[in-house]
């Protein structure tokens, strides 16, 4: 009986210790979890991208000027648009983006090169874009691509309008008048040189093929870029794209590929994503502010682009 009482007393003491320690341990563990969650939420908008897929990691100094946002989060987009240090905002289009990428990529070899554009004040005018589709997409056996891209165009146009609402010139917000929406299938490198666009904002989504490549501010030599632009046109033309891009870049790429030594590491837009590129007219007239530096993929390949701009700047 004495042994039983001793065991019961030991068990009671152990339980008392357990109840005394457990809440404290839980509080400590919960506190750490909250801190980690807040930390990762704080750096999520600074995602840099490696390969074709994004990785969550702290952005080094040379990745400044870029941000990432969920297309469904107005706060993410507003934070990027209102931050003057962010020139390029990568947009995660979620499952819709993945489905569109898969659909177009599977049919890409059958899609002929073409370009369709429309100017619309409201999003009900997208039928004008459809009228310019090649017959195989408009009413042929690839018509599912046509239906899908109208949905994508409407969604991206809404994102563009929302993003433009955070642009301020002379202390007032910018009103969107007319949009120009462009859908194109190209089989050549359109813009091989690193450049900015003389527009307030441009949204680019690669539905199939290699994505647009962005040069983060920490890897760009703005002084040299201005020197190149001030050169006589004949001297600019004499430089090939590789030489031009090497001069604009500060760093040396560790993953760009062969034959590109000396070219700073360009960040490609991942599959199923889009990118908002602030132009030199973000704060007023063209040239009033630095635009996001970017270029087309440097290797020629077929790709399908969906692009949204303000019509008055084109």
């Amino acid at each position: 009986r004495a042994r039983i009482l001793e065991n019961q007393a030991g068990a009671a003491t152990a339980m008392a210790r357990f109840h005394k320690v457990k809440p404290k341990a839980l509080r400590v563990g919960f506190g750490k979890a909250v801190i980690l969650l807040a930390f990762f939420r704080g750096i999520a908008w600074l995602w840099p991208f490696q390969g074709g897929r994004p990785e969550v990691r702290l952005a080094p100094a040379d990745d400044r000027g870029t941000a990432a946002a969920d297309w469904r989060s107005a706060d993410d987009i507003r934070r990027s648009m209102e931050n003057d240090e962010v020139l390029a905002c990568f947009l995660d289009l979620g499952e819709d983006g993945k489905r569109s990428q898969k659909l177009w990529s599977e049919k890409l070899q059958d899609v002929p090169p073409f370009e369709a554009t429309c100017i619309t004040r409201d999003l009900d005018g997208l039928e004008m874009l459809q009228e310019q589709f090649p017959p195989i997409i408009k009413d042929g056996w690839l018509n599912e691509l046509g239906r899908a891209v109208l949905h994508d165009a409407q969604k991206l146009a809404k994102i563009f309008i929302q993003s433009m609402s955070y642009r301020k010139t002379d202390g007032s917000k910018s009103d969107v008048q007319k949009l120009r929406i462009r859908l194109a299938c190209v089989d050549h490198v359109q813009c091989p040189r690193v450049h900015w666009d003389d527009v307030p904002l441009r949204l680019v989504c690669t539905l199939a093929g290699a994505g647009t490549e962005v040069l983060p501010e920490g890897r760009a030599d703005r002084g040299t870029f201005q020197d190149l632009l001030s050169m006589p046109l004949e001297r600019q033309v004499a430089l090939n794209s590789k030489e031009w891009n090497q001069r604009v870049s500060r760093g040396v790429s560790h993953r760009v590929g062969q034959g590109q030594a000396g070219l700073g590491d360009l960040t490609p837009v991942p599959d199923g994503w889009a990118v908002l590129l602030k132009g030199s007219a973000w704060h007023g007239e063209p040239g009033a502010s630095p635009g996001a530096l970017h270029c087309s993929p440097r290797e020629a390949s077929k790709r399908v682009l969906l692009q949204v701009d303000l019509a008055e700047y084109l």
Side-chain angles (χ1 to χ4, degrees):
R1 182 176 180 182
R3 188 176 295 113
I4 292 173
L5 290 174
E6 182 181 354
N7 291 339
Q8 288 177 345
T13 303
M15 288 299 293
R17 289 175 180 172
F18 175 77
H19 287 295
K20 183 178 180 181
V21 174
K22 186 178 180 183
K24 181 179 179 181
L26 286 176
R27 286 197 300 271
V28 172
F30 180 75
K32 289 181 178 180
V34 171
I35 293 172
L36 287 173
L37 178 61
F39 174 75
F40 282 111
R41 282 180 62 85
I43 67 168
W45 67 281
L46 287 173
W47 291 350
F49 303 99
Q50 300 295 327
R53 300 182 62 82
E55 291 182 358
V56 183
R57 62 178 179 83
L58 284 172
D62 63 352
D63 282 320
R64 69 179 184 272
T66 62
D70 187 321
W71 74 275
R72 296 162 297 187
S73 172
D75 287 340
D76 280 357
I77 296 175
R78 175 187 55 77
R79 183 165 51 238
S80 297
M81 293 297 101
E82 291 183 346
N83 187 346
D84 287 340
E85 294 184 1
V86 173
L87 302 182
C89 178
F90 296 86
L91 291 174
D92 182 357
L93 300 180
E95 292 302 317
D96 282 356
K98 294 177 182 178
R99 280 193 294 268
S100 295
Q101 180 82 20
K102 184 175 184 295
L103 180 63
W104 280 91
S105 297
E106 289 176 348
K107 305 291 194 302
L108 184 59
Q109 63 180 358
D110 299 312
V111 178
F114 74 94
E115 180 168 340
T117 61
C118 77
I119 296 177
T120 176
R121 185 179 297 272
D122 53 53
L123 301 182
D124 294 332
L126 291 178
E127 290 76 11
M128 299 167 54
L129 186 70
Q130 189 176 22
E131 292 299 318
Q132 300 178 50
F133 292 169
I136 194 174
I137 294 178
K138 182 180 178 181
D139 48 26
W141 72 278
L142 293 181
N143 59 7
E144 62 177 328
L145 296 179
R147 294 193 301 269
V149 80
L150 290 180
H151 170 76
D152 291 333
Q154 187 174 52
K155 179 175 69 177
L156 294 178
K158 288 179 179 179
I159 295 173
F160 182 88
I161 293 172
Q162 176 189 4
S163 302
M164 281 295 300
S165 70
Y166 304 118
R167 176 190 181 229
K168 293 183 179 180
T169 57
D170 300 326
S172 59
K173 290 189 176 182
S174 176
D175 293 327
V176 174
Q177 300 297 324
K178 293 182 179 180
L179 297 180
R180 176 183 181 266
I181 300 176
R182 171 179 178 252
L183 175 69
C185 178
V186 298
D187 56 3
H188 59 281
V189 180
Q190 285 190 306
C191 304
R193 296 189 179 202
V194 171
H195 66 284
W196 68 49
D197 298 315
D198 287 326
V199 298
L201 185 68
R202 171 166 290 169
L203 189 154
V204 180
C205 178
T206 304
L207 297 173
T212 299
E213 298 182 334
V214 177
L215 182 62
E217 283 302 289
R219 308 173 196 169
D221 189 334
R222 289 275 178 176
T224 299
F225 185 65
Q226 291 290 351
D227 292 341
L228 290 173
L229 293 179
S230 63
M231 285 170 33
L233 185 58
E234 58 271 16
R235 290 187 60 192
Q236 294 187 39
V237 174
L239 291 174
N240 60 42
S241 299
K242 179 181 175 181
E243 293 171 329
W244 178 282
N245 293 345
Q246 285 176 338
R247 295 192 185 188
V248 175
S249 172
R250 289 181 184 274
V252 177
S253 171
H254 57 271
R255 68 172 175 82
V256 166
Q258 297 179 353
Q260 298 292 334
L263 177 61
D265 197 1
L266 290 154
T267 301
V269 180
D271 293 347
W273 290 53
V275 64
L276 286 163
L277 299 167
K278 291 180 181 177
S280 69
W282 176 251
H283 285 302
E285 296 298 318
S289 56
L293 294 175
H294 61 284
C295 64
S296 300
R298 282 147 288 154
E299 294 184 5
S301 62
K302 185 184 284 189
R303 51 202 297 256
V304 179
L305 305 172
L306 187 57
Q307 179 178 312
V308 185
D309 290 284
L310 282 182
E312 62 185 286
Y313 283 85
L314 301 173

